[in-house]
Amino acid sequence: MSNYKPRNPLNNTVPGNYSRASRVLLLLQNDTNRDHLAAWLSGEYEIVTPEDKALSQIEFDLCILDTATLEHQNECIHSLKETAEPTFLPFLLVAPERTDRSREANIWEIVDEVISVPAEKQTLKNRLCNLLERRRLSQQQATALTQQRELFQRIFESSNDAIVLIDPQRNTICECNSQACDLLGYTREDLLQMSPEDVHPDEVSEFRAFRNSVLDKGHDWTAELTCRTGTGRLLDVETSASTVEIGGRTHMLASIRDVTTRTGQQKVMNNLHDVTIEFMEATTKQEVATVIMEAARGVFGYDIASVRLHDAETKPETLRLVAATPIAESYLDTTATESEFGDGVVGEAFATGEPVVVNDLQARTTPFNYGSIRSAMFVPLGSHGILSIGATEIGAFDETNVEVTQVLATNATAAMTRAQREQTLHEQTESLRGLFENATDCIVDIESINEEPRIRDVNPRFEEVFGYNRSDIQGESLSELVVPSDTEAESKWLIKQSLSGERVEIEARRETATGRRDFFIRAIPVQRDGAEYGAYVVYTDITERKRRDQQLQVLNRVLRHNIRNKLNIVHGVLDRSVRKEKNIPEQLAEEGLTATNELLDLSQTAREFATETRAESTDTPISVTDCIPAAIDSLEQDYPDAKLSTDVTADKMVPGTARLYRVLRELCENAIVHCHQAIPEVEVSCEQSPKRDDWVMITVTDNGPGIPDDQQAILENGEETDLKHSNGLGLWTVQWITTITGGDLTINTQDRIGTTVTIYLPTVQPDS
């Protein structure tokens, strides 16, 4: 092989304009031709001759030779051209006549141009310029290629990944970097003598499929291969490869990355899915701590692990040991189950909320003896406690261990937060359930279904008052069960407002098991599932309270009005009696006596009023067929001139709380006393109510002057004022006794002749 080295690229940048640095070698045996050429070219080029030097020792950019020299130096010239590749080294043949390419084809493996002599100087110059320009361009390309090769080599060697160059045709590894040697555990010499299949002995077919895919597509990637190292260790690798052309043949450049750790982490993450399910099923912090221990040992392979939970109720606050793996229990002083808040490395990690890694526990002062445990990491569980992981060797934990363990800690923290929230919610729910079940008020839990209030649940008091079994009415419409027909609009407004999130309070009448009663109703909205509103409707029975308020109001009016008038009369009589003449007219004395008797009667009426407008204590039902005739018989004895009649077609029983006899006496006596007809007429009838099958309708009709409208309005509105008040206590007595029983009262007067008072009462069964 020749030692010839290509000259550096020419400095000229303009084609054909070369400095004397362009060396032209003249290999001509014809001295005349050599001298002529030297004379022609010496002005522009540096002329070089052998001068007894070996051809391989001469540096030149272009060689001019004749046929004799070509034949003599054929092999040497051929070697020079091969050595110069890929740089173009031109040879110009000077021949007496044009050479036939077909007869001397081997010449053209060496000679690049032929010029016939004699030749013109300009023709020769043009040939030289063309050949030297080709050389210059080839030198530039060679320099660029060299730079690319050097850059590729630097990248090849400096890559963090292991890189191997594979010759698929020969099935060999033809190059590798140092990272490949380190990863695979072989020397460079060993790898260059191996096939790529030797690196994948357990997955030969998988590697071949990958290699064929790369050769077919020009590139590919896989993370499903394993490599067996020189020490026998099995690695999970991620390999990416592409094709490159080298020496006219396709090679495969493969980059190999060790993902064994990542694969292991991925397996841990996959196993954490099952752990997460167990976390979701845990109902207490203690159960979560137990799941942590099982995961630390079974998923992460940590044999030494423990959990301490924060106890804020102790003084000072402590971190109490609640769970530990068996090996941890054997190493730890289990008698020291509590660590003060902020004390030692455990307290430090909890106080800062950041993981702490200790490479050597014996180099630190600790609040208790860790036994043979030398290194540890302490990962906070939010505000709940600390997860501690230990090892018997020094420096066992790195950043990767902390990151993966934090994933477990994060899931555990979320589970503990959920368990704590659910425990609090459970306690609140139990408290609310106890309140719901034992409340003395009626409570209904409702939800909106198609804009209709449907019952979710009712408390026992509701069952008792309204007479429904909670299991029978779940899902039923609340309005249809308890709302009187004449108050449906009001009820719909109440429900609509509460189900839209507004708290509403009203007083209204509702249908109960014992009739209509007055309630203070509170609709309290509650939000369910973060969107839909439901409501708790609370019914507080205010029937008795309203009755007492009305009684106080009426009695107050009676005391201020009726008694005052009567006392004025008595005062006048007494005043006259103390004068000197002491002469009291008979009429005045009679008025005074009458006023005194009326005051006594009013006092007795008020006493009876306070007693008889209270509900009966007996639960024994009253028969209307017995009660009505008894009341009429009594009235006939007291008022023999009155015409009394009955028409009882409904044989019904009403609640024992109804003072029906007192009501009938009051209504009939009021009609007889205030009647201006010669013969007072009163008829009492009883039939089934047309409004409800389980109610009875009792009607008292008279031929008297009728009850004035203002008196009826007072009863309807339920209150008296200084300007609007009733004349006595009778009608109020009837009203209150009726409402105590849960019934209704209506008054109808036509043309001021006669009055019809209708009482609606709920009925009961004889054995109720």
Side-chain angles (χ1 to χ4, degrees):
M1 272 302 241
S2 169
N3 293 324
Y4 170 78
K5 297 180 180 179
R7 287 170 54 81
N8 291 332
L10 302 177
N11 295 326
N12 308 60
T13 58
V14 181
N17 183 20
Y18 297 102
S19 67
R20 289 184 180 276
S22 297
R23 297 168 62 88
V24 177
L25 175 62
L26 300 180
L27 293 179
L28 301 171
Q29 290 188 2
N30 187 306
D31 294 337
T32 301
N33 290 339
R34 184 173 63 251
D35 293 339
H36 279 296
L37 287 174
W40 281 4
L41 303 176
S42 59
E44 296 186 37
Y45 303 104
E46 181 182 352
I47 303 303
V48 181
T49 57
E51 296 179 355
D52 299 329
K53 289 183 179 180
L55 190 59
S56 60
Q57 297 177 350
I58 303 172
E59 290 188 2
F60 59 92
D61 297 305
L62 183 145
C63 179
I64 301 176
L65 71 164
D66 54 17
T67 305
T69 305
L70 179 61
E71 293 177 355
H72 180 66
Q73 297 282 1
N74 187 289
E75 292 184 3
C76 183
I77 293 172
H78 194 280
S79 176
L80 284 175
K81 287 185 74 71
E82 285 187 347
T83 303
E85 289 182 354
T87 303
F88 174 61
L89 185 59
F91 285 84
L92 176 62
L93 178 63
V94 177
E97 58 183 12
R98 191 167 185 82
T99 304
D100 187 355
R101 290 176 179 260
S102 61
R103 287 189 293 109
E104 301 180 15
N106 62 323
I107 293 177
W108 299 105
E109 296 179 1
I110 300 174
V111 174
D112 300 291
E113 288 284 352
V114 177
I115 187 170
S116 301
V117 292
E120 294 182 358
K121 184 176 182 180
Q122 187 60 42
T123 302
L124 176 62
K125 181 178 179 180
N126 291 340
R127 295 290 181 86
L128 293 177
C129 286
N130 290 336
L131 291 173
L132 288 172
E133 176 65 14
R134 288 176 60 190
R135 173 170 173 74
R136 186 184 71 83
L137 293 175
S138 71
Q139 286 177 319
Q140 289 180 346
Q141 293 176 350
T143 300
L145 181 60
T146 300
Q147 292 174 345
Q148 291 176 354
R149 285 178 176 174
E150 291 175 353
L151 177 61
F152 173 78
Q153 190 66 30
R154 287 197 299 271
I155 295 174
F156 190 78
E157 291 298 332
S158 63
S159 173
N160 292 327
D161 294 336
I163 300 178
V164 295
L165 185 65
I166 299 171
D167 185 344
Q169 184 175 346
R170 297 174 181 172
N171 196 28
T172 59
I173 298 174
C174 52
E175 190 55 84
C176 64
N177 63 357
S178 58
Q179 287 77 7
C181 298
D182 294 340
L183 176 66
L184 300 176
Y186 294 100
T187 64
R188 181 174 182 275
E189 291 73 19
D190 290 339
L191 281 176
L192 297 185
Q193 294 178 5
M194 297 170 61
S195 75
E197 295 173 356
D198 294 334
V199 181
H200 305 282
D202 301 320
E203 295 180 340
V204 173
S205 59
E206 289 84 351
F207 171 76
R208 289 176 179 174
F210 173 63
R211 177 195 62 193
N212 294 338
S213 177
V214 173
L215 296 177
D216 181 48
K217 296 188 295 186
H219 61 85
D220 203 353
W221 170 88
T222 181
E224 300 178 356
L225 289 175
T226 58
C227 292
R228 189 168 294 278
T229 68
T231 60
R233 180 188 173 197
L234 196 63
L235 301 178
D236 295 316
V237 297
E238 178 181 275
T239 305
S240 59
S242 58
T243 57
V244 293
E245 293 293 326
I246 300 178
R249 291 190 297 106
T250 300
H251 288 64
M252 189 170 80
L253 186 66
S255 175
I256 306 172
R257 179 174 298 177
D258 182 7
V259 293
T260 303
T261 301
R262 190 175 73 189
T263 303
Q265 293 176 354
Q266 186 62 47
K267 292 179 180 177
V268 169
M269 295 302 176
N270 292 338
N271 291 333
L272 276 179
H273 174 72
D274 297 333
V275 175
T276 301
I277 295 177
E278 294 183 33
F279 278 145
M280 294 175 63
E281 295 175 349
T283 58
T284 65
K285 288 185 179 182
Q286 180 63 57
E287 292 180 6
V288 174
T290 302
V291 175
I292 295 175
M293 291 300 93
E294 295 174 353
R297 184 173 53 178
V299 176
F300 293 88
Y302 296 143
D303 292 328
I304 304 174
S306 63
V307 171
R308 294 178 180 272
L309 293 182
H310 178 223
D311 189 346
E313 295 182 359
T314 59
K315 300 298 179 185
E317 298 178 22
T318 58
L319 294 166
R320 183 168 50 88
L321 182 66
V322 297
T325 59
I327 296 180
E329 290 180 348
S330 66
Y331 284 144
L332 290 173
D333 181 5
T334 54
T335 59
T337 58
E338 294 185 353
S339 173
E340 291 188 9
F341 177 80
D343 186 21
V345 66
V346 176
E348 173 189 342
F350 181 77
T352 61
E354 298 292 334
V356 175
V357 176
V358 179
N359 291 325
D360 189 357
L361 285 168
Q362 294 185 6
R364 295 189 55 149
T365 301
T366 57
F368 47 82
N369 184 15
Y370 282 92
S372 300
I373 303 174
R374 294 300 302 274
S375 60
M377 59 178 171
F378 304 91
V379 183
L381 300 171
S383 61
H384 304 293
I386 285 288
L387 167 61
S388 303
I389 305 296
T392 54
E393 63 269 17
I394 296 175
F397 305 107
D398 57 18
E399 185 176 345
T400 300
N401 297 123
V402 175
E403 289 178 354
V404 176
T405 306
Q406 276 187 295
V407 176
L408 174 64
T410 300
N411 290 341
T413 301
M416 285 188 175
T417 301
R418 176 192 52 77
Q420 184 179 50
R421 183 173 61 249
E422 289 183 353
Q423 179 66 23
T424 302
L425 183 61
H426 175 72
E427 293 173 357
Q428 293 176 345
T429 301
E430 288 299 310
S431 177
L432 289 175
R433 173 55 60 178
L435 178 63
F436 184 83
E437 293 293 329
N438 299 296
T440 56
D441 288 335
C442 307
I443 304 177
V444 186
D445 181 5
I446 64 171
E447 61 183 340
S448 177
I449 299 179
N450 298 326
E451 300 184 354
E452 179 73 21
R454 297 291 176 175
I455 298 174
R456 296 179 77 241
D457 198 7
V458 298
N459 69 342
R461 181 58 178 166
F462 183 93
E463 293 181 289
E464 178 184 347
V465 171
F466 288 92
Y468 295 106
N469 187 291
R470 68 200 306 176
S471 61
D472 294 337
I473 61 174
Q474 289 177 351
E476 296 294 327
S477 170
L478 176 63
S479 300
E480 294 178 0
L481 293 180
V482 302
V483 179
S485 59
D486 54 349
T487 60
E488 286 184 0
E490 175 192 65
S491 174
K492 288 182 179 179
W493 173 84
L494 168 69
I495 297 300
K496 181 180 179 181
Q497 294 299 108
S498 63
L499 292 180
S500 65
E502 182 177 345
R503 181 181 177 126
V504 183
E505 297 179 351
I506 63 170
E507 291 186 7
R509 305 202 78 190
R510 290 292 183 262
E511 299 279 5
T512 71
T514 57
R516 295 183 181 182
R517 297 188 68 80
D518 293 300
F519 291 94
F520 177 61
I521 304 174
R522 287 160 289 177
I524 305 167
V526 291
Q527 196 168 25
R528 296 190 174 96
D529 302 326
E532 293 293 332
Y533 275 101
Y536 285 103
V537 182
V538 182
Y539 298 88
T540 303
D541 192 334
I542 60 173
T543 306
E544 293 301 317
R545 190 196 75 188
K546 287 190 68 175
R547 180 180 60 81
R548 286 194 301 271
D549 290 344
Q550 290 173 345
Q551 287 177 346
L552 290 173
Q553 188 182 66
V554 171
L555 289 175
N556 180 56
R557 190 269 306 166
V558 169
L559 290 173
R560 287 191 301 108
H561 180 73
N562 296 45
I563 295 180
R564 182 180 58 194
N565 293 340
K566 304 304 179 184
L567 286 177
N568 283 336
I569 297 174
V570 174
H571 179 271
V573 174
L574 294 176
D575 181 65
R576 184 73 175 266
S577 68
V578 297
R579 292 180 183 180
K580 292 181 179 181
E581 60 274 11
K582 299 182 181 180
N583 185 17
I584 302 175
E586 182 179 355
Q587 183 179 354
L588 180 60
E590 290 179 354
E591 289 179 358
L593 183 59
T594 300
T596 303
N597 291 332
E598 288 180 353
L599 281 175
L600 291 174
D601 290 342
L602 185 60
S603 175
Q604 179 63 28
T605 301
R607 186 180 299 110
E608 294 175 355
F609 168 83
T611 303
E612 295 182 357
T613 54
R614 291 197 299 265
E616 290 278 13
S617 60
T618 178
D619 292 332
T620 305
I622 299 172
S623 170
V624 294
T625 56
D626 294 337
C627 186
I628 293 176
I632 297 301
D633 290 344
S634 174
L635 287 166
E636 286 178 340
Q637 294 178 10
D638 294 339
Y639 302 98
D641 296 334
K643 183 180 180 181
L644 303 174
S645 62
T646 62
D647 182 13
V648 180
T649 62
D651 185 9
K652 297 290 185 180
M653 307 289 286
V654 295
T657 55
R659 294 180 178 269
L660 183 58
Y661 180 86
R662 179 72 175 88
V663 168
L664 295 174
R665 283 277 311 185
E666 185 67 40
L667 288 175
C668 293
E669 192 169 17
N670 184 70
I672 294 171
V673 171
H674 292 93
C675 182
H676 300 307
Q677 303 293 333
I679 300 177
E681 296 182 5
V682 180
E683 180 183 11
V684 180
S685 63
C686 177
E687 60 182 317
Q688 181 175 301
S689 171
K691 295 182 178 180
R692 290 179 53 172
D693 294 341
D694 53 349
W695 281 47
V696 67
M697 180 175 69
I698 301 174
T699 304
V700 178
T701 305
D702 64 48
N703 62 343
I707 300 175
D709 292 340
D710 58 345
Q711 298 294 309
Q712 297 183 43
I714 291 172
L715 291 176
E716 183 177 349
N717 294 331
E719 63 179 2
E720 291 194 352
T721 66
D722 289 339
L723 298 179
K724 294 182 178 181
H725 53 79
S726 61
N727 293 326
L729 301 177
L731 286 178
W732 278 115
T733 302
V734 173
Q735 169 84 341
W736 290 324
I737 291 176
T738 302
T739 55
I740 287 173
T741 314
D744 274 342
L745 173 70
T746 64
I747 300 175
N748 184 19
T749 301
Q750 297 181 357
D751 301 328
R752 304 298 178 193
I753 300 177
T755 300
T756 300
V757 178
T758 305
I759 300 172
Y760 298 92
L761 296 176
T763 61
V764 296
Q765 297 299 321
D767 57 348
S768 63

